[in-house]
Amino acid sequence: MILTKIIILSFLSLPNDVYCARILGLFPHPGKSHFMVFEPLLKRLSELGHHVTVASFFPPENPPANYTHIKFDGAGEPRLDILDLKTNDNVNFVRRIPILGGIIQQMSDFNLLAELALTKCQQIIEFQPLANVLKEDYDLVFIEIFNSDCAQGLIHQYGIKAPIVGLSSCTITPWTAYRIGVSDNPAYVPVVGTTHTPTMSLLQRMENTFMLLYHNLWYRYKVQVKEQAIIENYFGRKMADLDLLSRNISLLLVNTFHPLNGVKPLVPGVVEIGGIHLNPNKKSIPGYIERFLNESKHGVILLSFGSLIKTSTIPKYKEEIIVNTLSKFKQRVIWKYEESEPEGTLVGNILKVRWLPQFELLQHEKVVAFIAHGGLLGMTESVYSGKPMVVVPFFGDQPSNAAAAANAGFAKIISYIDMTEKDLGDAVRSVLSEEMQLNARRVSKMWQDRESAPLDTAVYWTERVLRWGHSGKLHTAARDLSLYELALIDVFAAYALALTVILLSVWFILTKLMRLIIKESKQKIH
């Protein structure tokens, strides 16, 4: 009997056994497309028996039994349909400036993220329901790694010691890489927001290097320093440097996968889970859209600019460019257009609809191409479905995503601000070509060729952190090095100093020898 108890206790103590953990998820960013990436993981962990508490702007539909949601009521509103294309038309002219245009536009786009971060930080630290949640004990904490470290500061202030798993809805940003010790060498790693691929010209590497340095300085002084002041002012006490606290993550789950986003140097603590949000349980396609699809003899082109862009605000002349161009193709077009009729608005071969089940449509055999804005979720759905794309990027990571898709061989990029009927027509003809269709299917097969499904991968690595906690280190020592150490500036300085000493010593010795030789020569003459 005693032996049996010992065996049972020994089995229960094995590190491979994961108990039902208490997990906290903090998601103060109000972008719905961001939270859509993380929610499947949170729900799956809850279904596996873990007790999951989530603070976000987006309460779940039909939450599992162990899933508790704290909605940020009174802490601002979620951001939906925020980009008015009429306004964007007036702003994006700076992109036309050679070389500097892209840099100026990136600076402008990211400054908006800093303002949003500070506003949300002030709101959530004053949100009492969140304060009540943070006073409890947890075994693991999820936080989004994007434009804010306010959540890291709150975890510290409330004394939560649990390991932290970071979640990134986009490719790794410059201010994220160092937290886990990832190499972000600008010689071949494109900075998010640029239009570069890993193979860059000298001018592109110059821009890439500048943007890497700029983004790190911008994040440090426009976000971290100011968020730290907000938190310290609210709690009335000093705290550890937010830059150091931000490095306290055990794992980073990233919504990318290399067939689409390109190969990058990673470490064990960075796990790619691109496609985690893809739901195998298909939604039904509305009847009027299904009829429109099935009656098409030559296939259908899908046009959607996602949830953050109001397609219905497009200027009249731009809308005419799109309509005039697409009406010349034998394929039909389904366009997500917010101000259409409830049952769709049919104009020639173009059906405008208020809402559409995007992923389900992309998987439909009748859909042959996708015109999109380059958001990573829609692009992921397209590559999974094997459908080539015309990408019209607007802001943020969209130019980077577009460049990666074009480099992978299944997309064409056109500029929204400079869009013409010829550019759009040529791009659509290109993605409808047999070569591009084959490329899209090839990339799709590589995308789906994995050891395990992305959601299963995310669950495994999360539970691995639960098993090993802070002791299961997955980062490199680069995380603890300063910029000058990473760049080997101190090493080169030491070499330069040593070389200088050697040269001075040689010069000193040679000078002495020359003087002796000259002195001896003079003595012989006399």
Side-chain angles (χ1 to χ4, degrees):
M1 186 67 179
I2 295 176
L3 180 61
T4 303
K5 287 183 177 180
I6 293 173
I7 293 173
I8 292 173
L9 289 172
S10 299
F11 176 76
L12 291 175
S13 66
L14 289 174
N16 286 333
D17 181 57
V18 176
Y19 55 91
C20 294
R22 289 173 54 82
I23 298 173
L24 173 66
L26 299 178
F27 304 100
H29 183 71
K32 186 176 182 180
S33 59
H34 288 241
F35 189 70
M36 287 170 61
V37 176
F38 317 132
E39 189 176 35
L41 173 59
L42 301 169
K43 285 185 174 180
R44 175 63 65 84
L45 290 169
S46 179
E47 292 166 355
L48 291 173
H50 300 293
H51 299 278
V52 180
T53 300
V54 178
S56 80
F57 286 94
F58 307 101
E61 296 179 5
N62 305 316
N66 295 332
Y67 191 107
T68 302
H69 186 266
I70 309 298
K71 186 174 185 292
F72 284 129
D73 281 324
E77 296 297 324
R79 294 167 72 90
L80 302 171
D81 298 332
I82 62 168
L83 182 61
D84 188 314
L85 291 179
K86 291 187 178 69
T87 304
N88 191 73
D89 221 28
N90 297 327
V91 173
N92 260 355
F93 74 92
V94 298
R95 286 196 183 273
R96 292 195 176 106
I97 303 173
I99 302 176
L100 291 177
I103 293 175
I104 295 171
Q105 188 64 46
Q106 288 179 67
M107 290 179 175
S108 174
D109 290 346
F110 281 87
N111 279 336
L112 295 175
L113 290 178
E115 295 170 10
L116 178 63
L118 300 180
T119 299
K120 292 304 167 190
C121 185
Q122 186 67 58
Q123 290 171 340
I124 68 168
I125 64 174
E126 297 172 353
F127 189 58
Q128 191 56 45
L130 178 61
N132 296 337
V133 165
L134 291 171
K135 293 174 183 176
E136 300 179 15
D137 294 325
Y138 297 96
D139 302 300
L140 182 139
V141 180
F142 282 118
I143 60 170
E144 180 178 6
I145 307 294
F146 183 52
N147 69 325
S148 171
D149 281 318
C150 192
Q152 289 274 44
L154 290 178
I155 290 170
H156 174 74
Q157 290 289 54
Y158 282 93
I160 297 175
K161 304 298 184 183
I164 297 170
V165 173
L167 300 172
S168 177
S169 63
C170 63
T171 190
I172 299 175
T173 58
W175 56 89
T176 300
Y178 72 87
R179 302 173 186 219
I180 203 78
V182 173
S183 172
D184 56 355
N185 189 327
Y188 63 95
V189 179
V191 173
V192 64
T194 68
T195 58
H196 306 323
T197 62
T199 304
M200 290 177 260
S201 67
L202 173 61
L203 284 177
Q204 288 174 331
R205 282 184 284 121
M206 289 174 67
E207 178 190 340
N208 205 50
T209 302
F210 174 80
M211 292 313 304
L212 177 68
L213 295 172
Y214 171 79
H215 280 316
N216 280 315
L217 290 171
W218 165 82
Y219 191 76
R220 174 61 180 157
Y221 295 103
K222 288 286 189 177
V223 179
Q224 282 184 331
V225 170
K226 293 184 177 182
E227 283 189 333
Q228 178 145 358
I230 290 172
I231 297 170
E232 289 178 346
N233 181 63
Y234 179 80
F235 287 95
R237 61 176 181 268
K238 292 288 185 181
M239 59 182 282
D241 193 306
L242 204 51
D243 180 57
L244 294 176
L245 292 177
S246 71
R247 306 182 194 197
N248 186 31
I249 59 173
S250 299
L251 177 70
L252 181 64
L253 300 176
V254 188
N255 184 36
T256 58
F257 194 48
H258 56 81
L260 167 61
N261 305 98
V263 176
K264 296 179 176 66
L266 301 179
V267 300
V270 176
V271 179
E272 293 191 301
I273 55 167
I276 188 175
H277 74 288
L278 300 178
N279 188 350
N281 300 317
K282 294 184 178 182
K283 299 175 184 176
S284 60
I285 297 175
Y288 71 98
I289 296 180
E290 187 76 62
R291 287 192 298 274
F292 187 78
L293 287 165
N294 293 332
E295 291 170 2
S296 172
K297 296 180 180 179
H298 304 287
V300 174
I301 298 169
L302 187 64
L303 195 166
S304 173
F305 288 157
S307 62
L308 291 181
I309 299 174
K310 287 186 176 180
T311 313
S312 59
T313 65
I314 193 169
K316 189 66 178 176
Y317 80 97
K318 273 289 200 302
E319 183 174 347
E320 288 176 353
I321 289 174
I322 295 174
V323 172
N324 291 342
T325 303
L326 297 181
S327 63
K328 297 173 183 175
F329 285 87
K330 59 185 179 182
Q331 287 78 16
R332 288 185 169 187
V333 178
I334 298 176
W335 183 350
K336 179 180 172 291
Y337 194 92
E338 296 79 13
E339 294 182 3
S340 60
E341 297 296 323
E343 289 290 309
T345 302
L346 184 62
V347 182
N349 66 328
I350 300 174
L351 178 66
K352 295 181 178 179
V353 298
R354 292 184 181 181
W355 171 88
L356 47 80
Q358 183 170 284
F359 185 39
E360 285 69 25
L361 286 175
L362 285 169
Q363 294 178 86
H364 199 285
E365 61 180 4
K366 288 285 188 176
V367 172
V368 293
F370 186 28
I371 302 174
H373 65 305
L376 195 50
L377 269 66
M379 190 164 283
T380 298
E381 293 171 0
S382 188
V383 70
Y384 178 92
S385 305
K387 302 298 164 68
M389 303 180 68
V390 174
V391 187
V392 189
F394 290 87
F395 59 85
D397 65 335
Q398 294 164 16
S400 301
N401 298 336
N407 193 51
F410 72 97
K412 287 290 181 181
I413 307 170
I414 62 172
S415 164
Y416 170 78
I417 193 68
D418 296 316
M419 183 191 296
T420 64
E421 289 186 30
K422 182 180 184 307
D423 290 338
L424 180 57
D426 288 346
V428 173
R429 278 186 285 275
S430 178
V431 300
L432 291 176
S433 68
E434 184 177 352
E435 179 184 4
M436 190 72 82
Q437 296 284 327
L438 287 172
N439 281 343
R441 290 195 288 272
R442 176 181 56 82
V443 175
S444 177
K445 289 179 180 178
M446 286 193 293
W447 171 270
Q448 297 183 50
D449 187 5
R450 314 190 194 191
E451 290 181 332
S452 61
L455 183 54
D456 293 336
T457 300
V459 169
Y460 166 77
W461 282 97
T462 298
E463 293 190 332
R464 188 187 188 282
V465 172
L466 280 170
R467 284 192 288 271
W468 300 104
H470 296 291
S471 63
K473 295 182 178 179
L474 300 170
H475 63 274
T476 68
R479 180 167 87 171
D480 304 315
L481 297 178
S482 61
L483 178 60
Y484 74 86
E485 290 172 318
L486 278 173
L488 296 175
I489 293 173
D490 54 342
V491 173
F492 287 118
Y495 278 137
L497 179 60
L499 183 59
T500 302
V501 170
I502 292 170
L503 290 175
L504 287 174
S505 299
V506 171
W507 177 81
F508 178 78
I509 294 169
L510 289 175
T511 302
K512 286 289 188 182
L513 287 173
M514 288 300 295
R515 285 177 180 174
L516 287 172
I517 293 170
I518 293 171
K519 185 177 180 181
E520 289 179 1
S521 298
K522 287 181 178 180
Q523 288 175 351
K524 287 181 180 179
I525 292 172
H526 292 295

